[in-house]
Amino acid sequence: MTTKSLTIRFLKKEDNSFMHAAFLEAFSDYVIPFKLSKEQFIHRFVDKLTINFELSVGAFSGNKLVGFIFTAINNYQDKTTAYNGGTGVIHAFRGKNLTKRMYDFLTPELRKHKIEQYVLEVITSNERAIRAYQNCGFSVNKKFSCFALRESFQTRGISTKNLKLEKPDNFDWALYEEFRDISPSFLDCPPILRQNIAQEQIIYLKEQEKVLAYGIFQPQTGRLSQIAVAKSQRRKGLGRRLIQEMFQLSIPKCLTISNIDSQAISVISFFEAMGFVNEIDQYEMTMVLD
């Protein structure tokens, strides 16, 4: 599609350099600063999300990428789901309704691929982006809280002498489903974690070979993907013990966890009691594709 000197087309793998440059420029004034090398950008957005180039859109002015939508496809909430791994427009092209023009270009192709819904996350204070997404047909589905622990802590008064801390090689997804009270967001749901299993480490707290608690996290970044304690074993300090272990194993000596459903009061209270700070909140927004 060519319109008013802009060409809107689907992206290609060889567009990686254009994508990296446009991403840095579009997010240079973002609430959370991004300073990523090309290699870091490819790892975090292209590889981890497994971006589907056939369903990712770029708006070009000549040879310059000025707007983009990065799309990943996976199963989420038992639906074939497109996930917005990043949408941006560089400063000079804002105010031209470019996000909607890109979505208008993309949406018919999503329907051809039998995609049932398109999901994204947006910081709750980013009113401009929220309005733009609503104009494209998205509506707010959930509110998420995102936490970080940047200072160490002690496990005073907690006895785990009869428990075994184990780092298994295999992931028991059925067991984790039993332990969880809330469903993970798209980025931490099992299909996405399976894609990036090489980056994830799991630890168990066990008693007589029975798993009582588990945590899945990324030691390189300190990102906590999932944590849960068996319902019969809660309020015994097991979650705190896992947090301590993951903090010590994290290379940057911090832990972050994203997208905790704001209605999960007990889960949020747990992280706050551990010393985690609620740094940002996000909305999950969904476009239903009939």
Side-chain angles (χ1 to χ4, degrees), residues 68-184:
F68 56 83
I69 300 172
F70 304 149
T71 302
I73 306 295
N74 221 309
N75 183 278
Y76 177 56
Q77 300 170 337
D78 295 323
K79 295 180 179 180
T80 304
T81 301
Y83 175 78
N84 184 332
T87 292
V89 176
I90 70 171
H91 301 264
F93 287 81
R94 292 178 184 171
K96 302 178 186 296
N97 216 23
L98 188 50
T99 297
K100 187 173 189 308
R101 288 157 65 184
M102 289 191 291
Y103 268 109
D104 287 345
F105 178 81
L106 171 60
T107 302
E109 197 65 21
L110 294 172
R111 290 194 171 102
K112 285 182 187 176
H113 283 73
K114 311 274 187 213
I115 307 300
E116 297 175 79
Q117 62 180 352
Y118 202 113
V119 172
L120 59 83
E121 290 137 19
V122 59
I123 291 175
T124 56
S125 60
N126 193 345
E127 295 179 358
R128 177 181 59 81
I130 292 168
R131 287 194 299 270
Y133 291 133
Q134 288 172 331
N135 192 39
C136 295
F138 286 86
S139 58
V140 173
N141 182 42
K142 293 179 183 178
K143 184 180 179 183
F144 289 138
S145 296
C146 305
F147 293 86
L149 177 69
R150 305 192 187 279
E151 296 182 5
S152 186
F153 65 98
Q154 301 298 318
T155 54
R156 294 185 297 272
I158 295 174
S159 174
T160 55
K161 63 182 180 180
N162 295 322
L163 298 178
K164 178 170 67 173
L165 190 67
E166 183 179 289
K167 300 174 188 173
D169 295 325
N170 298 316
F171 289 68
D172 188 343
W173 302 106
L175 176 68
Y176 310 152
E177 186 71 28
E178 287 180 25
F179 280 30
R180 289 198 306 262
D181 285 339
I182 59 173
S183 298

Side-chain angles (χ1 to χ4, degrees), residues 155 168 186 189 211 220 268:
T155 54
F186 183 93
C189 68
V211 177
Q220 292 290 334
I268 289 173

Side-chain angles (χ1 to χ4, degrees), residues 16 29 36 42 52 93 105 118 186-187 197 220-221 246 283:
N16 277 334
D29 59 349
L36 301 175
I42 290 173
N52 186 312
F93 287 81
F105 178 81
Y118 202 113
F186 183 93
L187 287 176
I197 213 72
Q220 292 290 334
T221 63
M246 288 186 284
Y283 291 129

Side-chain angles (χ1 to χ4, degrees), residues 14 16 29 47 61 85 107 114 126 129 145 150 169 173 179 181 188 192 194 200 224 226 236-237 248 285:
E14 51 266 35
N16 277 334
D29 59 349
D47 294 339
S61 177
T107 302
K114 311 274 187 213
N126 193 345
S145 296
R150 305 192 187 279
D169 295 325
W173 302 106
F179 280 30
D181 285 339
D188 294 315
I192 294 295
R194 288 190 191 103
E200 304 284 346
L224 205 169
Q226 291 187 14
K236 298 181 180 181
Q248 291 174 347
M285 301 185 72

